[in-house]
Amino acid sequence: MKRHNYEYLPVCLSVHNKECFVVGGGRVASRKISVLRKFGANVTCLSQEFIKPLQFLAERKKIK
């Protein structure tokens, strides 16, 4: 059997109206949240600190 050394498993998920949880409040989390929101996810983000774009979304009740 041939073994492969892949880092990623491509998947397709429907996140529309689904609860999604992101850990972290930095740039990487911000990019992930942006994509999740683009596809209609309800996002909760957990972090001790948040960058300004995430603070902005939270203040406007766009994420929890």
XYZ file of all heavy atoms in Angstrom:
516
model
N 0.848 -1.176 0.000
C 0.000 0.000 0.000
C 0.899 1.248 0.000
O 1.808 1.358 0.801
C -0.908 -0.012 1.225
C -1.717 1.244 1.365
S -2.694 1.270 2.868
C -4.278 1.007 2.175
N 0.635 2.168 -0.899
C 1.414 3.393 -1.003
C 0.976 4.384 0.083
O -0.209 4.629 0.265
C 1.216 4.006 -2.385
C 2.110 5.176 -2.652
C 1.940 5.666 -4.085
C 2.860 6.821 -4.343
N 2.746 7.324 -5.691
N 1.942 4.957 0.794
C 1.640 5.930 1.850
C 1.939 7.332 1.337
O 2.930 7.556 0.655
C 2.467 5.641 3.084
C 2.156 4.271 3.662
C 2.858 4.065 4.930
N 2.032 4.717 5.960
C 2.392 4.813 7.208
N 3.532 4.342 7.622
N 1.598 5.398 8.083
N 1.083 8.270 1.693
C 1.245 9.669 1.296
C 1.484 10.512 2.535
O 1.015 10.197 3.611
C -0.002 10.173 0.563
C -0.287 9.413 -0.690
N 0.379 9.653 -1.866
C -1.143 8.407 -0.954
C -0.066 8.841 -2.802
N -1.001 8.063 -2.265
N 2.186 11.607 2.345
C 2.455 12.517 3.449
C 1.771 13.857 3.170
O 2.415 14.841 2.859
C 3.968 12.704 3.621
C 4.291 13.474 4.880
O 3.475 13.577 5.777
N 5.488 14.007 4.941
N 0.461 13.879 3.251
C -0.301 15.107 3.027
C -0.501 15.838 4.346
O -0.660 15.229 5.389
C -1.676 14.783 2.433
C -1.620 14.118 1.082
C -2.270 12.928 0.867
C -0.923 14.684 0.028
C -2.241 12.297 -0.372
C -0.875 14.069 -1.204
C -1.534 12.878 -1.400
O -1.504 12.255 -2.617
N -0.517 17.178 4.271
C -0.761 17.972 5.461
C -2.241 18.299 5.634
O -2.694 18.521 6.753
C 0.021 19.277 5.402
C 1.497 19.102 5.625
C 2.183 20.434 5.781
O 1.661 21.291 6.504
O 3.240 20.604 5.165
N -3.007 18.367 4.558
C -4.387 18.823 4.620
C -5.337 17.792 4.035
O -5.013 17.105 3.082
C -4.558 20.142 3.855
C -3.717 21.249 4.417
C -2.503 21.583 3.830
C -4.123 21.944 5.544
C -1.713 22.587 4.354
C -3.344 22.953 6.070
C -2.144 23.278 5.475
O -1.367 24.271 5.998
N -6.502 17.756 4.598
C -7.576 16.913 4.084
C -8.651 17.851 3.547
O -9.287 18.576 4.310
C -8.164 16.037 5.190
C -9.404 15.244 4.822
C -9.051 14.171 3.795
C -9.994 14.604 6.053
N -8.828 17.909 2.232
C -9.853 18.805 1.690
C -11.251 18.279 2.015
O -11.537 17.090 1.844
C -9.596 18.784 0.180
C -8.805 17.552 -0.060
C -8.094 17.192 1.208
N -12.098 19.153 2.514
C -13.472 18.787 2.845
C -14.413 19.899 2.411
O -14.022 21.052 2.293
C -13.662 18.510 4.353
C -12.849 17.326 4.806
C -13.323 19.729 5.168
N -15.645 19.554 2.186
C -16.685 20.530 1.879
C -17.723 20.444 2.994
O -18.235 19.367 3.280
C -17.334 20.225 0.533
S -16.203 20.405 -0.850
N -18.001 21.575 3.609
C -18.957 21.627 4.711
C -19.981 22.716 4.451
O -19.640 23.790 3.962
C -18.245 21.953 6.029
C -17.145 21.013 6.490
C -16.419 21.617 7.682
C -17.738 19.673 6.852
N -21.199 22.463 4.818
C -22.212 23.507 4.802
C -22.269 24.097 6.205
O -22.609 23.412 7.163
C -23.575 22.929 4.425
O -24.558 23.935 4.570
N -21.884 25.374 6.333
C -21.893 26.028 7.644
C -23.022 27.049 7.771
O -23.150 27.708 8.799
C -20.532 26.701 7.954
C -19.424 25.666 8.064
C -20.190 27.766 6.930
N -23.846 27.164 6.751
C -24.945 28.132 6.780
C -25.858 27.857 7.975
O -26.340 26.743 8.153
C -25.740 28.069 5.472
C -26.820 29.098 5.394
N -26.525 30.421 5.176
C -28.149 29.012 5.531
C -27.667 31.098 5.169
N -28.656 30.269 5.380
N -26.060 28.873 8.802
C -26.880 28.798 10.015
C -26.374 27.771 11.023
O -27.135 27.309 11.864
C -28.349 28.511 9.682
C -29.031 29.724 9.092
O -28.682 30.859 9.400
N -29.983 29.490 8.215
N -25.088 27.420 10.958
C -24.489 26.501 11.921
C -23.683 27.302 12.943
O -23.131 28.354 12.628
C -23.556 25.494 11.234
C -24.221 24.620 10.202
C -25.113 23.588 10.840
C -25.603 22.525 9.903
N -26.452 22.909 8.829
N -23.613 26.792 14.165
C -22.784 27.399 15.201
C -21.345 26.955 14.981
O -21.064 25.759 14.926
C -23.256 26.968 16.590
C -24.661 27.432 16.941
C -24.781 28.943 17.035
O -23.821 29.611 17.484
O -25.850 29.466 16.666
N -20.436 27.907 14.831
C -19.019 27.599 14.639
C -18.210 28.300 15.725
O -18.484 29.447 16.079
C -18.548 28.059 13.263
S -19.329 27.168 11.906
N -17.212 27.617 16.241
C -16.414 28.088 17.363
C -14.970 28.258 16.915
O -14.374 27.320 16.380
C -16.505 27.048 18.487
C -15.881 27.466 19.772
C -16.483 28.399 20.586
C -14.681 26.910 20.175
C -15.911 28.778 21.779
C -14.099 27.277 21.365
C -14.709 28.211 22.171
N -14.425 29.458 17.115
C -13.046 29.746 16.742
C -12.272 30.125 18.000
O -12.724 30.972 18.781
C -12.970 30.908 15.711
C -11.523 31.270 15.401
C -13.715 30.538 14.437
N -11.127 29.502 18.206
C -10.264 29.831 19.343
C -9.140 30.711 18.838
O -8.447 30.360 17.885
C -9.696 28.557 20.005
C -8.745 28.915 21.129
C -10.828 27.685 20.519
N -8.968 31.855 19.472
C -7.917 32.795 19.091
C -8.529 34.118 18.676
O -9.662 34.166 18.187
N -7.788 35.183 18.876
C -8.306 36.513 18.561
C -7.383 37.331 17.694
O -7.474 38.550 17.662
N -6.509 36.660 16.955
C -5.536 37.358 16.112
C -5.893 37.330 14.641
O -7.047 37.108 14.252
N -4.856 37.530 13.815
C -5.069 37.626 12.362
C -5.579 36.326 11.754
O -6.429 36.344 10.863
C -3.780 38.035 11.666
C -3.366 39.473 11.970
C -2.080 39.833 11.297
N -1.047 38.866 11.718
C 0.022 38.549 11.013
N 0.240 39.109 9.858
N 0.889 37.673 11.464
N -5.051 35.196 12.206
C -5.484 33.911 11.652
C -6.956 33.677 11.984
O -7.757 33.309 11.124
C -4.600 32.747 12.166
C -5.158 31.412 11.731
C -3.168 32.931 11.685
N -7.322 33.922 13.227
C -8.726 33.770 13.636
C -9.620 34.713 12.838
O -10.721 34.339 12.422
C -8.876 34.029 15.129
N -9.155 35.925 12.619
C -9.931 36.904 11.864
C -10.204 36.419 10.437
O -11.324 36.561 9.927
C -9.192 38.242 11.836
O -9.948 39.222 11.191
N -9.191 35.830 9.799
C -9.388 35.297 8.441
C -10.389 34.145 8.451
O -11.264 34.063 7.585
C -8.057 34.832 7.855
C -7.140 35.962 7.441
C -5.982 35.481 6.581
N -5.216 34.404 7.170
C -4.114 34.546 7.902
N -3.655 35.763 8.153
N -3.470 33.497 8.365
N -10.262 33.260 9.422
C -11.187 32.123 9.512
C -12.611 32.608 9.740
O -13.553 32.122 9.111
C -10.763 31.185 10.642
C -9.491 30.446 10.341
C -9.073 29.582 11.514
C -7.749 28.892 11.216
N -7.314 28.045 12.331
N -12.769 33.570 10.632
C -14.094 34.109 10.935
C -14.691 34.787 9.712
O -15.889 34.645 9.428
C -14.016 35.069 12.136
C -13.756 34.249 13.416
C -15.278 35.909 12.267
C -13.386 35.082 14.625
N -13.871 35.501 8.972
C -14.347 36.157 7.757
C -14.930 35.148 6.775
O -16.015 35.361 6.210
C -13.189 36.930 7.113
O -13.595 37.507 5.908
N -14.233 34.050 6.576
C -14.711 33.011 5.658
C -15.980 32.365 6.197
O -16.961 32.175 5.458
C -13.615 31.946 5.403
C -14.169 30.766 4.629
C -12.441 32.566 4.664
N -15.994 32.036 7.471
C -17.185 31.408 8.060
C -18.410 32.313 7.930
O -19.496 31.859 7.560
C -16.929 31.066 9.533
C -15.977 29.903 9.783
C -15.559 29.864 11.243
C -16.623 28.589 9.367
N -18.241 33.605 8.210
C -19.357 34.551 8.102
C -19.815 34.694 6.653
O -21.005 34.819 6.385
C -18.973 35.909 8.670
C -18.806 35.883 10.183
C -18.610 37.263 10.781
N -19.841 38.026 10.598
C -19.936 39.145 9.861
N -18.896 39.631 9.237
N -21.086 39.775 9.750
N -18.866 34.665 5.718
C -19.202 34.771 4.296
C -20.163 33.659 3.883
O -21.026 33.862 3.033
C -17.919 34.696 3.469
C -18.113 34.745 1.983
C -16.786 34.673 1.258
C -16.980 34.627 -0.240
N -15.688 34.540 -0.948
N -20.015 32.496 4.499
C -20.856 31.357 4.171
C -22.001 31.158 5.161
O -22.618 30.097 5.206
C -20.008 30.089 4.038
C -19.163 30.103 2.800
C -17.860 30.553 2.841
C -19.695 29.724 1.577
C -17.077 30.602 1.695
C -18.926 29.765 0.424
C -17.618 30.209 0.481
N -22.302 32.193 5.953
C -23.514 32.196 6.767
C -23.430 31.522 8.119
O -24.467 31.222 8.721
N -22.232 31.313 8.647
C -22.086 30.673 9.956
C -22.371 31.658 11.086
O -22.174 32.863 10.942
C -20.675 30.116 10.118
N -22.840 31.137 12.200
C -22.986 31.896 13.442
C -21.713 31.626 14.248
O -21.503 30.517 14.718
C -24.207 31.432 14.222
C -25.473 31.557 13.409
O -25.682 32.550 12.724
N -26.296 30.542 13.431
N -20.873 32.653 14.406
C -19.530 32.445 14.944
C -19.420 32.908 16.387
O -19.826 34.016 16.738
C -18.476 33.187 14.092
C -17.083 32.993 14.662
C -18.533 32.719 12.643
N -18.833 32.037 17.214
C -18.422 32.376 18.567
C -16.907 32.302 18.591
O -16.318 31.336 18.108
C -19.009 31.387 19.594
O -20.435 31.463 19.543
C -18.531 31.699 20.998
N -16.273 33.326 19.159
C -14.820 33.398 19.196
C -14.364 33.514 20.643
O -14.887 34.339 21.400
C -14.348 34.605 18.396
S -12.563 34.758 18.276
N -13.377 32.711 21.038
C -12.855 32.705 22.393
C -11.380 33.070 22.384
O -10.580 32.434 21.692
C -13.031 31.320 23.027
C -12.436 31.140 24.414
C -13.210 31.993 25.414
C -12.475 29.684 24.816
N -11.040 34.118 23.138
C -9.651 34.537 23.261
C -9.533 35.496 24.434
O -10.515 36.134 24.824
C -9.183 35.229 21.978
O -7.819 35.593 22.082
N -8.335 35.611 24.979
C -8.104 36.595 26.042
C -7.949 37.989 25.452
O -8.248 38.983 26.111
C -6.874 36.221 26.853
C -7.091 34.982 27.687
C -5.868 34.629 28.516
O -4.766 35.110 28.266
N -6.074 33.785 29.490
N -7.471 38.071 24.221
C -7.292 39.351 23.541
C -7.780 39.233 22.102
O -7.714 38.162 21.505
C -5.824 39.761 23.536
C -5.259 40.005 24.916
C -3.799 40.409 24.868
O -3.290 40.721 23.770
O -3.164 40.405 25.930
N -8.275 40.368 21.563
C -8.799 40.387 20.198
C -8.206 41.558 19.434
O -8.040 42.644 19.983
C -10.331 40.548 20.209
C -11.048 39.424 20.873
C -11.368 39.482 22.221
C -11.390 38.292 20.162
C -12.028 38.439 22.840
C -12.049 37.242 20.770
C -12.368 37.317 22.115
N -7.932 41.344 18.147
C -7.503 42.458 17.318
C -8.723 43.326 17.014
O -9.865 42.896 17.160
C -6.798 41.976 16.024
C -7.736 41.132 15.163
C -5.509 41.236 16.357
C -7.139 40.757 13.802
N -8.475 44.539 16.603
C -9.554 45.517 16.413
C -10.684 45.054 15.483
O -11.847 45.272 15.791
C -8.991 46.854 15.962
C -8.212 47.552 17.059
C -7.915 48.982 16.695
C -7.054 49.635 17.742
N -7.733 49.894 18.998
N -10.392 44.418 14.334
C -11.499 43.981 13.475
C -12.458 43.014 14.187
O -13.663 43.070 13.971
C -10.800 43.297 12.301
C -9.452 43.921 12.249
C -9.087 44.179 13.683
N -11.931 42.152 15.049
C -12.797 41.229 15.785
C -13.572 41.960 16.875
O -14.738 41.654 17.122
C -11.985 40.074 16.372
C -11.358 39.135 15.348
C -10.555 38.045 16.031
C -12.411 38.527 14.439
N -12.938 42.921 17.517
C -13.646 43.745 18.500
C -14.809 44.472 17.840
O -15.910 44.548 18.382
C -12.695 44.762 19.138
C -11.675 44.143 20.054
C -10.672 45.169 20.562
O -10.562 46.282 20.042
N -9.905 44.780 21.572
N -14.551 44.995 16.649
C -15.571 45.712 15.876
C -16.771 44.798 15.600
O -17.928 45.193 15.797
C -14.945 46.209 14.563
C -15.877 46.958 13.671
C -16.088 48.315 13.853
C -16.535 46.322 12.633
C -16.952 49.017 13.028
C -17.397 47.012 11.799
C -17.604 48.367 12.000
N -16.510 43.559 15.135
C -17.593 42.613 14.860
C -18.375 42.257 16.124
O -19.599 42.176 16.106
C -17.039 41.339 14.220
C -16.498 41.467 12.807
C -15.820 40.168 12.380
C -17.605 41.842 11.825
N -17.672 42.055 17.216
C -18.317 41.708 18.477
C -19.191 42.848 18.989
O -20.315 42.617 19.448
C -17.279 41.311 19.517
N -18.688 44.082 18.909
C -19.456 45.244 19.365
C -20.745 45.406 18.573
O -21.739 45.899 19.100
C -18.600 46.500 19.258
C -17.484 46.561 20.283
C -16.468 47.648 19.989
O -16.608 48.373 18.967
O -15.508 47.769 20.782
N -20.728 45.009 17.315
C -21.909 45.128 16.465
C -22.741 43.839 16.414
O -23.605 43.675 15.588
C -21.478 45.543 15.058
C -21.191 47.038 15.058
C -20.116 47.418 14.097
N -19.759 48.820 14.245
C -18.934 49.291 15.188
N -18.398 48.497 16.074
N -18.640 50.582 15.253
N -22.423 42.923 17.348
C -23.172 41.655 17.490
C -23.137 40.799 16.227
O -24.064 40.058 15.943
C -24.630 41.931 17.888
C -24.793 42.827 19.095
C -24.712 42.041 20.353
C -25.151 42.902 21.520
N -24.188 43.040 22.548
N -22.042 40.909 15.456
C -21.879 40.069 14.262
C -21.256 38.727 14.624
O -21.406 37.755 13.895
C -20.993 40.783 13.221
C -21.528 42.123 12.782
C -22.815 41.992 12.023
C -23.273 43.356 11.526
N -24.536 43.299 10.830
N -20.508 38.701 15.747
C -19.966 37.460 16.308
C -20.177 37.520 17.813
O -20.410 38.585 18.386
C -18.459 37.263 15.982
C -17.611 38.366 16.596
C -18.235 37.134 14.492
C -16.110 38.133 16.469
N -20.075 36.359 18.433
C -20.184 36.304 19.906
C -18.794 36.128 20.473
O -17.945 35.506 19.877
C -21.051 35.107 20.338
C -22.468 35.191 19.825
C -23.192 33.940 20.248
C -24.468 33.773 19.455
N -25.066 32.483 19.593
